Amino acid sequence: MAPQHGPRRARIVFSDSAAKQLENLTREAEIHALDRALVVVSVDPEIGEPIPGDTAGPQLREYADEVERVRLLYWVTALKTVVVAYLEV
């Protein structure tokens, strides 16, 4: 019998500005907190709250973890890739 695998995770990519923000993270606790938030979003990309705005582009979403103090702004592509546009840790 073939092993059962869990749900497939979404691929995570960073916009240029989010990549620069990522480079500025230096504390290990910040990196771990961000990693946990990215895992949550990769497992369920629709978990973030939709941000009202222009419907012409992709739907921007916000995920905030108050315990870890992490905030992500992102959108999900048609192929279920999560594009992180902004992050706060």
Side-chain angles (χ1 to χ4, degrees):
M1 180 186 254
Q4 295 283 330
H5 295 285
R8 184 175 167 170
R9 290 185 183 181
R11 181 174 169 235
I12 304 280
V13 297
F14 296 91
S15 69
D16 290 341
S17 61
K20 288 178 185 176
Q21 291 172 303
L22 186 61
E23 289 175 2
N24 292 329
L25 295 181
T26 56
R27 293 185 24 232
E28 190 172 331
E30 292 174 330
I31 295 167
H32 285 295
L34 176 61
D35 187 51
R36 286 189 286 273
L38 291 172
V39 167
V40 169
V41 171
S42 72
V43 171
D44 183 7
E46 304 300 317
I47 195 167
E49 294 294 321
I51 296 175
D54 187 9
T55 58
Q59 174 67 60
L60 195 59
R61 303 182 77 80
E62 177 182 14
Y63 172 76
D65 183 328
E66 300 300 325
V67 174
E68 297 291 343
R69 296 185 176 166
V70 175
R71 181 174 169 237
L72 302 174
L73 298 181
Y74 66 95
W75 70 88
V76 182
T77 68
L79 297 175
K80 296 296 183 193
T81 297
V82 173
V83 181
V84 177
Y86 174 82
L87 58 95
E88 278 180 13
V89 181

